[in-house]
Amino acid sequence: MKTLTLTDRLLGFFLGTMAAVLVGFSASIYAVASADLRRQTDDKLASALDTLAAAAEVKPEGIEWEPHERTVSLGDGPMGGRIAFSVLDDRGRVIDHSTPDPARDGWRTARRWLRAENPAATAVEVNPGEVMYPGIELVAELSPEPVRAALNRLALGLTGLSVLVWLVVLGTGRWICRRALAPLTRVAASAESMGIADPAARLPGTGAGDELDGLVGSFNGLLTRLHESFDRQQRFTGDASHQLRTPLTAILGQIEVALRRPRDADEYRRVLASVQRQSTHLHRIVESLLFLARADADARLPGLERLDLAAWLTTHLEGWNGHPRAADLRNLAASGPMWVSAHPLLLAELLDNLLDNAVKYSDAGTTVALGLDGGEGGATLSVTDLGCGIADGERAHLFEAFYRSPESRRRGIAGVGLGLTIAARLAAAMAARIEVSGRAGGGSRFAVVLRKA
Ligand code: ADP
């Protein structure tokens, strides 16, 4: 089945609405006209009965019908309809009537009784040709034909006019709908011709500030975000490939050199140890990349639990006892409990990343202090070192994947640039944030602000 275009649907809606309006409008006009003619008919019959009543002489002892002494002129009904009358005595006998009409079926009728106050029991002839009745009934009738014909003409006229208007709309509607939808068609055409490679490509706005303009604006906003995300992904892939290539090249080079000629066992052991070092590094990078990919895909928050941060920190630091810098770690947390909402495994991974950096970027023998602070904004777990610190311009980039400060490169400190990216993801998963302070050469402080529980 052929699918309807937007123009077809709009036209259908337009024609349907038009038909409903025309039918409603015509029916209303017809109803008003027909009620008005019925009212005119009733008025005319009432005034015909008044005229007839005026032709009778009403006395206390009886009523005389005197049409010859008083003129009975009933005129015409609405639209020239004929009015007929008859006068009946109290026994239903016709005393007088208008010129008889051949057929009076369906005529509209009005009746009125005239009665004397103290009538004789029966009709009495008072003078020759003059009869006094105890009561008479006046009947006026009006031919409905002219009104019916006028209403039929009106119905026909209204139907014809409505059909004509509807046909004109049908003829011009498609053109009108196409014109109304032209901006939409233009936007669709430019979307179709748009290449994904051009980051500056945007849909043209209508400039009218209408709904379509709003839609184009939102769509362009989405395009901007998509391009930014695409750029980030590309940079990330490029950086990741670069980071993986360096140890891989080293491994391949060493193996190639080792295989050029036979070597003794010590030589092979030395090469294998170097290959193992490089592979471990490679493994760490791959693990970090896998974690970041999983964290992106699984945006759900893990189940957080209520945790005493002070007690947890003391226990966690016991795991650092065997580390070469264990003696430099100072737990400055107050002894009282501090309840937070966190995930113990994620928090452990996050704190270990910060501690790894603190010991990596500070000299052996300098203190690395851990502190807890329960301020208004949440519970803060901080790691402060007295190392190389962070220059002002670098702070904004610390959490970008593969970012490494020039100072850390210059000093030849080993690293990949993924530790803080992972730490930021872990913090976000616990609805926490990481704040950084410190200056070049003056040590640094990384603080995780957790929600209190
Ligand atoms: P990596 O340590 O592997 O380089 P990170 O993501 O952990 O990667 O850190 C990114 C960069 O942030 C580091 O290269 C370093 O320049 C800086 N940085 C992180 N922690 C500290 C710290 N405690 N003191 C000084 N600089 C730091």
Side-chain angles (χ1 to χ4, degrees):
M1 204 178 82
K2 184 177 173 278
T3 44
L4 290 177
T5 62
L6 192 55
T7 310
D8 292 336
R9 267 179 276 169
L10 192 64
L11 185 63
F13 174 75
F14 194 33
L15 288 174
T17 311
M18 196 65 175
V21 167
L22 287 171
V23 168
F25 184 67
S26 304
S28 310
I29 289 191
Y30 184 85
V32 168
S34 128
D36 189 54
L37 285 173
R38 181 158 305 151
R39 190 185 46 73
Q40 281 185 41
T41 303
D42 289 345
D43 287 354
K44 201 69 202 175
L45 283 172
S47 85
L49 286 176
D50 289 345
T51 310
L52 289 173
E57 184 165 1
V58 181
K59 294 180 182 164
E61 60 279 16
I63 295 170
E64 282 179 46
W65 174 245
E66 300 174 334
H68 311 298
E69 290 174 25
R70 305 153 200 237
T71 22
V72 176
S73 161
L74 299 182
D76 288 335
M79 316 307 296
R82 226 185 86 66
I83 299 181
F85 75 89
S86 34
V87 180
L88 312 175
D89 70 4
D90 55 328
R91 292 185 182 174
R93 286 174 307 208
V94 177
I95 308 168
D96 195 3
H97 58 75
S98 55
T99 329
D101 286 278
R104 295 215 299 236
D105 282 349
W107 283 39
R108 201 165 170 80
T109 309
R111 297 165 181 275
R112 188 182 298 169
W113 270 97
L114 296 179
R115 294 185 194 280
E117 265 175 48
N118 301 308
T122 55
V124 185
E125 181 152 13
V126 283
N127 289 314
E130 281 182 26
V131 183
M132 187 86 83
Y133 301 97
I136 59 173
E137 188 182 15
L138 309 173
V139 181
E141 288 171 280
L142 202 148
S143 155
E145 219 25 73
V147 167
R148 204 173 286 154
L151 284 176
N152 284 348
R153 276 198 307 278
L154 180 67
L156 208 69
L158 285 172
T159 309
L161 195 69
S162 299
V163 169
L164 190 74
V165 170
W166 194 83
L167 286 176
V168 170
V169 171
L170 177 68
T172 55
R174 186 165 288 277
W175 179 78
I176 293 173
C177 289
R178 281 229 180 89
R179 272 197 68 101
L181 293 176
L184 193 63
T185 318
R186 267 201 303 279
V187 168
S190 32
E192 208 152 300
S193 63
M194 201 183 266
I196 53 160
D198 180 7
R202 295 290 179 271
L203 292 179
T206 59
D210 54 7
E211 292 90 339
L212 184 60
D213 218 20
L215 182 69
V216 167
S218 312
F219 190 80
N220 282 341
L222 178 68
L223 275 182
T224 307
R225 291 197 296 281
L226 276 177
H227 277 299
E228 282 169 3
S229 152
F230 187 62
D231 276 356
R232 268 200 306 276
Q233 292 281 346
Q234 261 188 335
R235 263 203 314 276
F236 184 84
T237 315
D239 288 346
S241 315
H242 180 74
Q243 293 293 334
L244 293 173
R245 199 176 55 184
T246 314
L248 264 178
T249 314
I251 290 172
L252 288 174
Q254 276 172 335
I255 293 174
E256 199 188 309
V257 171
L259 289 178
R260 268 191 204 148
R261 59 183 169 79
R263 294 170 195 274
D264 59 26
D266 273 355
E267 188 104 344
Y268 283 128
R269 203 167 291 121
R270 196 185 53 74
V271 172
L272 280 177
S274 170
V275 167
Q276 187 187 28
R277 248 195 335 277
Q278 303 280 2
S279 306
T280 310
H281 182 60
L282 209 55
H283 184 245
R284 259 217 329 271
I285 298 177
V286 172
E287 285 295 312
S288 303
L289 288 174
L290 271 178
F291 172 84
L292 287 174
R294 265 204 314 275
D296 269 346
D298 187 10
R300 237 167 6 95
L301 285 187
L304 300 183
E305 52 188 76
R306 195 164 177 266
L307 182 104
D308 175 8
L309 195 53
W312 177 87
L313 180 62
T314 310
T315 315
H316 183 75
L317 286 180
E318 283 166 12
W320 276 74
N321 279 343
H323 194 274
R325 296 279 307 270
D328 295 334
L329 300 186
R330 297 269 185 289
N331 182 358
L332 304 180
S335 52
M338 183 177 291
W339 294 101
V340 294
S341 160
H343 188 286
L345 291 180
L346 299 188
L347 188 60
E349 179 87 18
L350 168 52
L351 180 60
D352 284 348
N353 271 348
L354 297 183
L355 280 172
D356 268 337
N357 280 346
V359 296
K360 203 160 68 172
Y361 296 104
S362 66
D363 295 330
T366 57
T367 303
V368 172
L370 288 116
L372 284 187
D373 182 23
E376 276 296 291
T380 307
L381 164 61
S382 62
V383 178
T384 310
D385 64 62
L386 302 171
C388 61
I390 293 154
D392 282 348
E394 291 169 6
R395 218 163 290 145
H397 304 291
L398 290 186
F399 297 97
E400 288 171 10
F402 302 109
Y403 176 78
R404 305 210 65 221
S405 70
E407 179 63 12
S408 59
R409 287 178 199 278
R410 195 184 61 75
R411 289 184 177 212
I413 302 173
V416 183
L418 288 174
L420 286 182
T421 314
I422 291 175
R425 295 285 167 88
L426 291 168
M430 292 185 288
R433 62 177 194 281
I434 302 179
E435 292 173 354
V436 188
S437 50
R439 56 191 167 74
S444 40
R445 178 178 183 268
F446 286 78
V448 186
V449 185
L450 291 148
R451 275 203 307 213
K452 284 187 178 172

